Amino acid sequence: MKKQFILSIALILTLTLAGCGNKENNAGNQSEPASGEASEKVTKIVVGTGTQFPQVCFIDENGKLTGFDVELVREIDKRLPGYEFDLQTLDFTNLLLSLETKKIDMVAHEMEKNPEREQKYLFSSEPYAHWRNKIVVAKDNNSVQTLDDLKGKKVLTTATSAAATILENYNKENNNAIELVYQNGGANDEVAQVASGRVEAFLSADFTLSLIDSKKELKTTGPALSEADILFMFRKDDPEQKKLADAVDEAVRELKADGTLAKLSSEWLGNDFTSEEK
């Protein structure tokens, strides 16, 4: 009887210890999720940019993607710990479609706001550059000052670009008076086409010519056809995209305030093109 009592006590102790062990194990398993929940969630953002825009987004001699827009995104990435920015390169003409189809989450390619784009996309509200679009012709061409002077002439442009929008809108009102020659975003031979006489002109932002025309074969002419703030682009009617755009705006404001943005512009574009005042 005594032996049976001792065995019963031993069995109870064994079960009690096992139960305690299970509780300890369960507590250990629960601690990891609790710790994970406490850490900040990092959201990956795929940023679409290009490789054919000198000093803005291009591949350097070491095979590295760099340029003003690229390095700006990297600076923004440092200021926003809740996001991780992954730069992906695409042909310029595919950027907006890739944004629509959610292959990318943001466009960084010196994009300016116009009514056509604003109907379909969300723009950031804090500009990171400002440019003026002008006509570019050969340096000895003194016959062109306005779009009217380009009637019956060939003008080079890139589909979906702001320059193309200006020219297409002009043609709508003037019976397709200008012969538009479209090239893809990778051609990047505007200077050669105009200098050789294959086309009469193209439209370009004011800071761009010095970056692509090292031999100074071309010139800008006439008044600005348009001027605009340069902004990042996102998907419209998407709360997460709006949240991202607001965060990017705040980072750009910080970069302006501490002088980083102006420094990047001067380094890559040759001057401070980050505001309307030049």
Side-chain angles (χ1 to χ4, degrees), residues 31-49:
S31 64
E32 288 185 7
S35 173
E37 290 170 4
S39 62
E40 184 178 7
K41 180 183 177 183
V42 176
T43 302
K44 182 177 179 180
I45 302 299
V46 180
V47 183
T49 190

Side-chain angles (χ1 to χ4, degrees), residues 211-232:
L211 305 179
I212 64 176
D213 182 23
S214 59
K215 296 180 181 178
K216 301 188 183 305
E217 297 177 278
L218 311 182
K219 67 179 181 182
T220 58
T221 184
L225 300 173
S226 70
E227 58 180 287
D229 290 330
I230 302 306
L231 304 159
F232 296 110

Side-chain angles (χ1 to χ4, degrees), residues 1-233:
M1 188 74 178
K2 183 177 180 181
K3 183 177 179 182
Q4 185 177 4
F5 176 76
I6 292 172
L7 289 173
S8 298
I9 294 297
L11 179 60
I12 291 171
L13 287 172
T14 300
L15 291 172
T16 301
L17 289 172
C20 291
N22 285 338
K23 284 184 181 179
E24 289 175 1
N25 288 338
N26 288 339
N29 290 338
Q30 290 172 358
S31 64
E32 288 185 7
S35 173
E37 290 170 4
S39 62
E40 184 178 7
K41 180 183 177 183
V42 176
T43 302
K44 182 177 179 180
I45 302 299
V46 180
V47 183
T49 190
T51 61
Q52 300 292 331
F53 200 154
Q55 300 303 107
V56 171
C57 46
F58 69 105
I59 306 297
D60 68 13
E61 63 275 10
N62 297 315
K64 178 187 175 184
L65 176 66
T66 190
F68 176 61
D69 281 43
V70 172
E71 299 307 328
L72 174 55
V73 169
R74 289 173 177 153
E75 286 291 337
I76 292 171
D77 193 8
K78 295 176 186 177
R79 310 287 175 117
L80 299 178
Y83 293 100
E84 177 186 344
F85 290 77
D86 178 21
L87 285 152
Q88 298 288 332
T89 59
L90 297 162
D91 286 341
F92 176 80
T93 52
N94 291 332
L95 284 171
L96 298 186
L97 178 59
S98 296
L99 182 63
E100 289 180 46
T101 56
K102 299 185 179 182
K103 292 179 181 178
I104 61 175
D105 305 300
M106 171 176 162
V107 175
H109 199 293
E110 291 289 306
M111 306 300 286
E112 65 179 85
K113 185 189 294 187
N114 60 39
E116 290 82 2
R117 288 174 176 171
E118 200 169 8
Q119 287 180 0
K120 298 180 67 175
Y121 307 102
L122 171 67
F123 284 84
S124 55
S125 59
E126 190 67 31
Y128 65 90
H130 186 88
W131 70 9
R132 297 156 183 80
N133 285 302
K134 291 189 173 184
I135 299 170
V136 178
V137 295
K139 64 180 180 181
D140 58 353
N141 185 339
N142 298 316
S143 62
V144 174
Q145 294 292 319
T146 68
L147 291 178
D148 287 338
D149 298 325
L150 292 172
K151 288 181 177 180
K153 311 280 187 169
K154 291 183 178 180
V155 176
L156 191 66
T157 194
T158 301
T160 76
S161 68
T165 300
I166 293 171
L167 292 164
E168 288 163 355
N169 286 341
Y170 178 87
N171 268 353
K172 287 178 184 177
E173 298 176 359
N174 292 274
N175 197 29
N176 293 319
I178 298 174
E179 183 179 348
L180 301 185
V181 179
Y182 290 93
Q183 64 173 359
N184 63 46
N188 199 32
D189 63 347
E190 296 99 334
V191 175
Q193 295 246 34
V194 173
S196 66
R198 291 196 295 273
V199 299
E200 187 79 8
F202 62 90
L203 307 189
S204 176
D206 48 5
F207 70 81
T208 304
L209 190 57
S210 63
L211 305 179
I212 64 176
D213 182 23
S214 59
K215 296 180 181 178
K216 301 188 183 305
E217 297 177 278
L218 311 182
K219 67 179 181 182
T220 58
T221 184
L225 300 173
S226 70
E227 58 180 287
D229 290 330
I230 302 306
L231 304 159
F232 296 110
M233 293 179 69

